[in-house]
Amino acid sequence: MFLGIDIGTSSSKGVLVAPDGTVVATAVREHPTATPRPGWFEHDALDVWWADFVAIVAELARPDVAAVGVSGIGPCVLPCAEDGTPLRPAILYGVDTRATAEIAAQNARYGAGAIMERCGSPLTSQAVGPKLEWLREHEPEVWAGTRRLFMAHSWLVHRLTGAYVLDHHSASQCTPLYDTRTHEWITDWDVAPGLELPELAWSGDVAGTVTRAASELTGLPAGIPVVAGTIDAWAEALSVGVGSPGDVMLMYGTTMFIVEVLAERATSPKLWGTAGVAPGTYNLAAGMATSGAITAWLRDLTGASFGDLTTEAAAAGVGAEGLLMLPYFAGERTPLFDPDARGTVIGLTLRHGRGHLYRAALEATAFGVRHNLEAMREAGGKGGRLVAVGGGTRGGLWTRIVSDVLRQEQELPAHTVGAAFGDAKLAAGAVGVSCAGWNPVTSVVRPDPEAAEEYERLYRLYRELYQATSHIAHALA
């Protein structure tokens, strides 16, 4: 059996998979995310990451577990002592915006253009380098003791094996510390003085084996291999077979995340350009700040169930009888990188109800997906094969609207277990097991030509709406 465990923002998930890809068992543990100040998002590594991991292993592990894969939220900053002891809670990925001043300082110091050329991505709240500088400036006593840098998955690998390893993909999100052209750490920019950076490996490489001490703490068999792992969205892409150049994952969740696999490196100031999970591949990635978060907000606001809202939204028809929404309820990440963007609804009349608003929200996120895919194509992406995953694929309406807006098919796989399934695939591959038939496509969402034509007009208005109202949103923000 192969064990995969993923550490998420609000929950951790595990899956036990047989050699033929059959899901034998799953487990979930919810956990809190600390927000000690506005714009700060943190996890206690021991109380969240390790406690979840141990609990899931206790529920799923069996004597015949042959290998382990892990993934997690990222890029994160967990400063540790030489022995891997955390010195403070982990600073989370792009939702944590504390390092705004340090982003500006590093752009000025190294040059925004030079950072883009070497690292593949612009400096944003997603980047690790500015958060390390924030740590040096604001918590010098923590920095003084910091010898090692971990993310959720790499820290778990360390706890299990003793290895100090980070996969190339996660390293490529440590802007401006990693050069995506050479696949090496950058040594001539002194971004993290005195910090020993981890050894680099590919996500499917064996980082080490479970030590006897880790076996006693977790119940995992001693001596079994543990792979290097990666960041959760990329493990989720692996879970649904998005691994060949031109493949694109559309992840329908609280936020919408998009990953395209490339054969050659590409960069864009509107996107994240990264190293791939496998050798010889690269990625363009995009992330909307909200998508399913808006539908949950509308559910809570109206008191209606998702089922009722979906039924009413379907009846509202294309364009929700004249409504148009901007989905920037938490600012926007790609392709705008505008934290002060705000949600907008235009066209409201007294006849509009909750179903119309719900339909407008689904259409708004579909327009956001198209905006991001257009940015990917401008940067050199092909966007040939779209695979839809995540909780938002259930029910059918949302995926149908996205296909209509994109004028493109989406494949739906058999399993949408998530990143943990991708972790199990990495673990199986590391010991020579073929995963070719693990997650077959079971259905295809095809666009409706008439709806697609109407969405062409609405998409043009959507693009105009941000330009016309952004100065107002910024003033209000």
Side-chain angles (χ1 to χ4, degrees):
M1 295 292 170
F2 302 100
L3 181 65
I5 297 180
D6 174 65
I7 307 297
T9 304
S10 57
S11 67
S12 300
K13 300 175 183 178
V15 62
L16 191 67
V17 185
D20 64 355
T22 301
V23 175
V24 176
T26 61
V28 179
R29 290 292 183 278
E30 295 186 353
H31 56 243
T33 297
T35 54
R37 294 186 185 181
W40 291 25
F41 290 82
E42 300 181 348
H43 277 168
D44 185 290
L46 285 167
D47 291 346
V48 175
W49 297 351
W50 184 245
D52 281 7
F53 182 86
V54 171
I56 290 172
V57 169
E59 184 171 343
L60 296 183
R62 299 174 6 170
D64 58 352
V65 170
V68 180
V70 290
S71 62
I73 48 174
C76 300
V77 172
L78 177 65
C80 289
E82 185 77 28
D83 63 356
T85 301
L87 300 179
R88 73 172 321 280
I91 301 171
L92 300 194
Y93 54 101
V95 294
D96 188 290
T97 57
R98 73 184 69 193
T100 303
E102 288 74 21
I103 290 171
Q106 290 188 359
N107 273 326
R109 186 180 309 132
Y110 306 119
I115 291 171
M116 173 66 72
E117 171 58 25
R118 297 185 75 174
C119 304
S121 299
L123 280 184
T124 68
S125 64
Q126 191 85 343
V128 164
K131 291 174 182 176
L132 291 176
E133 186 164 331
W134 182 92
L135 200 63
R136 294 203 310 275
E137 294 176 352
H138 295 272
E139 297 182 2
E141 71 289 351
V142 172
W143 182 256
T146 299
R147 294 295 177 269
R148 294 187 167 183
L149 167 67
F150 291 99
M151 298 188 193
H153 64 287
S154 65
W155 186 71
L156 291 175
V157 168
H158 176 74
R159 296 274 292 186
L160 292 173
T161 70
Y164 182 38
V165 173
L166 187 64
D167 63 292
H168 282 279
H169 168 72
S170 300
S172 72
Q173 294 211 44
C174 291
T175 310
L177 285 91
Y178 179 93
D179 193 323
T180 56
R181 303 169 306 178
T182 63
H183 297 305
E184 295 174 341
W185 293 116
I186 293 172
T187 58
D188 57 314
W189 288 348
D190 199 14
V191 180
L195 182 66
E196 178 192 354
L197 294 173
E199 179 185 347
L200 294 167
W202 293 101
S203 300
D205 290 346
V206 174
T209 58
V210 174
T211 64
R212 188 161 299 280
S215 175
E216 293 173 357
L217 290 172
T218 64
L220 288 169
I224 63 171
V226 179
V227 295
T230 193
I231 291 173
D232 52 3
W234 279 259
E236 183 134 15
L238 284 174
S239 78
V240 293
V242 171
S244 299
D247 288 354
V248 180
M249 177 192 71
L250 303 182
M251 188 170 73
Y252 293 73
T254 302
T255 67
M256 180 73 75
F257 207 82
I258 307 169
V259 175
E260 177 166 3
V261 182
L262 308 173
E264 297 180 352
R265 180 177 179 268
T267 63
S268 168
K270 301 176 182 179
L271 303 164
W272 297 302
T274 70
V277 170
T281 64
Y282 299 85
N283 297 126
L284 284 172
M288 297 171 62
T290 55
S291 56
I294 305 175
T295 64
W297 173 75
L298 282 167
R299 177 201 60 189
D300 296 343
L301 194 66
T302 62
S305 68
F306 278 132
D308 287 343
L309 289 169
T310 300
T311 299
E312 294 171 17
V318 174
E321 295 190 46
L323 284 191
L324 189 63
M325 181 185 290
L326 294 179
Y328 310 141
F329 282 51
E332 187 55 300
R333 295 194 287 175
T334 64
L336 301 178
F337 288 123
D338 184 357
D340 290 333
R342 291 294 181 264
T344 302
V345 184
I346 192 168
L348 280 166
T349 69
L350 294 175
R351 77 173 183 278
H352 286 115
R354 64 191 187 185
H356 296 93
L357 283 168
Y358 197 79
R359 176 83 185 211
L362 298 180
E363 292 177 344
T365 57
F367 294 142
V369 170
R370 177 166 169 176
H371 193 184
N372 276 293
L373 286 178
E374 288 179 350
M376 287 180 162
R377 290 190 176 97
E378 290 170 5
K382 305 301 181 186
R385 172 177 173 256
L386 305 184
V387 183
V389 297
T393 60
R394 292 189 291 269
L397 179 61
W398 198 359
T399 51
R400 190 163 72 248
I401 289 171
V402 170
S403 276
D404 290 343
V405 168
L406 300 180
R407 293 179 179 261
Q408 200 165 351
E409 294 180 352
Q410 296 173 83
E411 297 179 0
L412 297 177
H415 296 303
T416 56
V417 176
F421 191 79
D423 301 332
K425 287 181 75 173
L426 285 173
V431 295
V433 173
S434 172
C435 306
W438 269 32
N439 201 0
V441 172
T442 56
S443 62
V444 178
V445 182
R446 294 182 172 87
D448 174 76
E450 290 186 13
E453 191 64 35
E454 179 62 14
Y455 280 131
E456 283 293 327
R457 182 182 70 87
L458 292 172
Y459 178 67
R460 290 194 296 272
L461 294 175
Y462 168 87
R463 293 293 300 274
E464 291 176 17
L465 184 58
Y466 172 74
Q467 299 298 328
T469 61
S470 60
H471 66 289
I472 299 173
H474 293 164
L476 293 172

